Amino acid sequence: MDQRIANDSGESFLTIEHWKKRIEDALAAPDAAGPIRNINGEDQREFDAIFVGGGAAGRFGSAYLRALGGRQLVVDRWPFLGGSCPHNACVPHHLFSECAAELMLARTFSGSLWFPDMNGRITSIKEVVDLFRRGRTGAHAIMNYQSKEQLDIEFVLNAPAQILDAHRIEVAGEVIRARALVLALGSEPIRLDVPGSALKGVHDYTTLVETLDYEPADTVVVVGGGKTAVEYGCFFNATGRRVVMLVRNRLLDIVKDGETRAYAIDRMREQGMEIFEGATLTALIGDTSGRVARAVVETPAGPVEIATDFVFAALGERPHSQAAVEALGVAIDEKGAVLVDEQMQTSVPGVYAAGDVIGAPMEMFKARKSGTYAARAITGEKVSYKPADWPDFLHTHYEVSWLGLGEEEARARYRNVVIVKMPPDNPNGLDIGLPASDRTMLYAFARPRLSGFQKVVIDGDTRRVLGAYHVGYGAKDAFQYLNVLVRRGLTVDELGEMDELFLNPTHFIQLARLRAGQRELQNL
Ligand SMILES: Cc1cc2nc3c(=O)[nH]c(=O)nc-3n(C[C@H](O)[C@H](O)[C@H](O)COP(=O)(O)OP(=O)(O)OC[C@H]3O[C@@H](n4cnc5c(N)ncnc54)[C@H](O)[C@@H]3O)c2cc1C
């Protein structure tokens, strides 16, 4: 039977505005809204695959399978396709990081040029969170519209799926069968587990955007030292609050080039962030209203207590694999990631998995690509997907992008490593107005040390680029493409042959050209 969602006039075409209202209603009252079905009753074929979870992996896998001529169904407990990225992860992270960059600029130039006096001013965290919450359904609506009207995807939304066996799920009271299942269940934040973690005012990235209902006072404690901890911590700091970061091991260990990591961390400290490495949060103590009031911390220098009404925990994500393990017995690793081969096949025949549920790297590129590889494998193509040598980025108050080897790793592997970087080594420190480009021009002229850092790591023998690192703004896009060229063996000479759009956020092209004439490459 045809089960296609229709608008109020009974027509099956739904506008983006219609979707927006429908999603908002369903988020406000999921049970009252009921399941949202788009199943084509005229297509009598069995489903080739059911994607359980409609995030990046499930939606892209669905679209690809459909494009290949297969029949798919995607099921999500939320009333929209697209998953956690636009709902509580990448998109709010980018909004907060943009605020951090804007606020750092405003605070640096406070009271000068056209900038208002920000001295002692704390700006609202809650207003930005509310802004996100109000606006996020726009992206959800576009994805539902695109999935239904343009990609011809079949779905059941606003309805959790229960996996019955390797070919069947139950959703919205119906048992549905397919030739294959694709587990695209995503991940969930690792919850803080110390006495007091259930107190009001203790948040992670999911609860922050759903339940923040007060304005945090003046001190924020951030637990964690990875991407999310730093991204959210820098935003809280930029709002004018004291931010104390509790890092069990090393902050930003993910950035493998030592100088780049040091530049990023030094600028965080310069913005007033307090960083305790080797520190463990042992307890949170509440006030009489049940809100967090103090954090008790073990540091290498001894125990410390920090007064705070807002704790943000960013301990990483855990694959959301439990239900699949219980229903199917799929094999997982010690972190709970579903084990798959290069065809995205799990240990259970006919069951595939993609996205965060298969573990690191938990990034959008892998979720989307692995979803499409699962689709291709299901249609009989011999595929091989194993993420390797991907470019990466994170936000501090800046955008930090990188690819390939850092200087230390390159020196351990190659005998003749040449470095081209900006600013150059300078005995008097960083006060040189370069690099300068988009969004760092004001810093370059007024506070040169804040105008960024960039480095290319080269093998002097083969002249090949081994790695590239950038702290600034606007270079992330270039890294996507540069990474492909580096993997294909890009040399310093080829880099110098490119045509720069000057002033370019990465100065790599013109710096490479300055050195490319040398037979024996030297540092710059
Ligand atoms: C704070 C934060 C910021 C991030 N920022 C970035 C970034 O800037 N760039 C980047 O590349 N990556 C970023 N990521 C990572 C990125 O968000 C994930 O890698 C990506 O969203 C994973 O997609 P997925 O499809 O595997 O999972 P999800 O998008 O989480 O999809 C899983 C889906 O499964 C559904 N589901 C679960 N159980 C059931 C069930 N029983 N029945 C029906 N549906 C179910 C869920 O509702 C969800 O929609 C960030 C992550 C975090 C935490």
Side-chain angles (χ1 to χ4, degrees):
M1 191 185 84
D2 220 31
Q3 296 183 328
R4 287 181 198 259
I5 181 176
N7 65 19
D8 299 338
S9 317
E11 295 150 355
S12 78
F13 179 86
L14 299 191
T15 62
I16 293 172
E17 291 69 26
H18 182 108
W19 271 121
K20 197 163 180 306
K21 165 103 182 42
R22 191 122 190 177
I23 292 165
E24 275 161 12
D25 290 348
L27 284 173
D31 293 341
I36 301 172
R37 293 183 176 87
N38 184 49
I39 299 183
N40 179 5
E42 287 161 20
D43 195 337
Q44 295 300 308
R45 292 177 296 166
E46 182 181 34
F47 288 111
D48 293 300
I50 297 173
F51 290 80
V52 190
R59 192 174 97 93
F60 272 69
S62 288
Y64 214 96
L65 185 52
R66 198 68 197 93
L68 291 172
R71 187 171 188 213
Q72 55 62 236
L73 181 72
V74 57
V75 180
D76 206 287
R77 61 186 172 183
W78 281 333
F80 52 85
L81 291 165
S84 56
C85 174
H87 199 57
N88 59 26
C90 331
V91 177
H93 140 215
H94 275 76
L95 174 65
F96 301 153
S97 294
E98 185 165 310
C99 293
E102 293 289 335
L103 281 164
M104 177 174 118
L105 186 70
R107 288 189 188 283
T108 304
F109 289 92
S110 168
S112 65
L113 300 173
W114 56 87
F115 291 91
D117 187 353
M118 297 291 286
N119 210 356
R121 223 182 113 192
I122 288 185
T123 62
S124 173
I125 292 175
K126 185 171 175 300
E127 272 179 20
V128 183
V129 170
D130 289 346
L131 180 72
F132 168 71
R133 210 184 288 136
R134 281 197 305 277
R136 67 180 167 180
T137 46
H140 297 337
I142 289 170
M143 283 192 228
N144 280 10
Y145 170 83
Q146 184 191 61
S147 302
K148 178 173 176 292
E149 308 303 341
Q150 299 180 311
L151 302 173
D152 206 14
I153 286 176
E154 295 185 68
F155 52 76
V156 181
L157 304 179
N158 205 34
Q162 199 193 336
I163 299 165
L164 300 179
D165 56 39
H167 299 283
R168 293 180 313 144
I169 63 156
E170 183 172 347
V171 64
E174 232 185 302
V175 174
I176 309 183
R177 198 192 139 76
R179 283 200 305 114
L181 286 192
V182 184
L183 309 172
L185 296 157
S187 60
E188 55 198 349
I190 296 172
R191 309 275 174 200
L192 197 58
D193 185 19
V194 295
S197 16
L199 287 165
K200 191 166 160 45
V202 181
H203 285 281
D204 58 35
Y205 70 90
T206 61
T207 64
L208 179 73
V209 296
E210 300 304 338
T211 62
L212 184 74
D213 59 359
Y214 70 102
E215 194 59 67
D218 52 10
T219 299
V220 176
V221 171
V222 174
V223 191
K227 287 186 178 187
T228 303
V230 167
E231 284 156 354
Y232 285 59
C234 288
F235 165 56
F236 302 142
N237 159 267
T239 65
R241 287 166 179 81
R242 176 185 178 215
V243 170
V244 184
M245 297 205 60
L246 306 178
V247 188
R248 192 173 287 219
N249 298 313
R250 254 163 55 103
L251 185 69
L252 286 187
D253 213 16
I254 188 172
V255 181
K256 294 299 177 205
D257 183 75
E259 251 183 325
T260 308
R261 177 175 171 270
Y263 181 88
I265 294 176
D266 285 352
R267 299 290 82 69
M268 286 168 64
R269 289 193 204 274
E270 208 166 308
Q271 292 303 307
M273 296 181 73
E274 295 170 46
I275 299 162
F276 287 86
E277 288 185 325
T280 307
L281 177 75
T282 53
L284 295 169
I285 298 168
D287 62 14
T288 48
S289 73
R291 185 190 297 270
V292 65
R294 278 176 297 143
V296 184
V297 186
E298 276 301 327
T299 75
V304 176
E305 276 201 22
I306 304 162
T308 180
D309 71 343
F310 183 65
V311 173
F312 182 79
L315 307 176
E317 290 79 52
R318 180 182 291 123
H320 193 207
S321 57
Q322 198 52 36
V325 172
E326 282 163 18
L328 302 169
V330 286
I332 55 172
D333 70 11
E334 66 291 348
K335 291 185 172 167
V338 174
L339 296 172
V340 289
D341 62 18
E342 290 180 14
Q343 285 81 51
M344 317 316 298
Q345 275 261 14
T346 69
S347 60
V348 177
V351 178
Y352 297 72
D356 280 6
V357 79
I358 63 170
M362 293 194 193
E363 303 286 349
M364 286 297 278
F365 77 87
K366 195 208 65 193
R368 291 169 173 160
K369 276 174 81 171
S370 59
T372 65
Y373 274 70
R376 290 164 58 184
I378 288 164
T379 53
E381 192 182 332
K382 182 82 183 146
V383 294
S384 169
Y385 182 59
K386 203 168 170 40
D389 301 332
W390 61 89
D392 212 343
F393 83 100
L394 58 85
H395 287 106
T396 56
H397 301 79
Y398 297 88
E399 178 190 282
V400 183
S401 310
W402 65 94
L403 61 84
L405 300 183
E407 184 175 340
E408 294 78 0
E409 206 178 343
R411 289 199 188 284
R413 289 208 221 162
Y414 295 85
R415 61 161 205 103
N416 178 20
V417 170
V418 175
I419 301 297
V420 172
K421 67 183 177 185
M422 186 59 79
D425 286 330
N426 176 23
N428 297 324
L430 288 167
D431 278 327
I432 301 169
L434 281 172
S437 184
D438 307 300
R439 306 265 312 276
T440 60
M441 295 305 288
L442 286 172
Y443 292 137
F445 282 85
R447 301 277 196 287
R449 61 192 300 105
L450 302 183
S451 68
F453 177 80
Q454 43 195 258
K455 178 192 259 190
V456 188
V457 182
I458 300 162
D459 173 17
D461 291 342
T462 61
R463 305 175 76 87
R464 283 180 57 174
V465 174
L466 301 174
Y469 285 74
H470 186 271
V471 185
Y473 301 100
K476 190 172 67 171
D477 259 22
F479 274 68
Q480 302 171 131
Y481 309 111
L482 189 58
N483 192 55
V484 178
L485 299 175
V486 170
R487 287 168 66 176
R488 289 183 182 169
L490 179 76
T491 63
V492 66
D493 310 281
E494 289 166 336
L495 190 54
E497 267 302 306
M498 293 181 187
D499 298 319
E500 67 272 36
L501 296 176
F502 192 73
L503 275 168
N504 39 341
T506 67
H507 291 213
F508 299 156
I509 298 175
Q510 55 268 30
L511 291 176
R513 193 181 292 134
L514 286 173
R515 278 300 191 222
Q518 286 184 325
R519 187 187 289 245
E520 294 290 326
L521 285 176
Q522 288 171 18
N523 293 332
L524 181 67

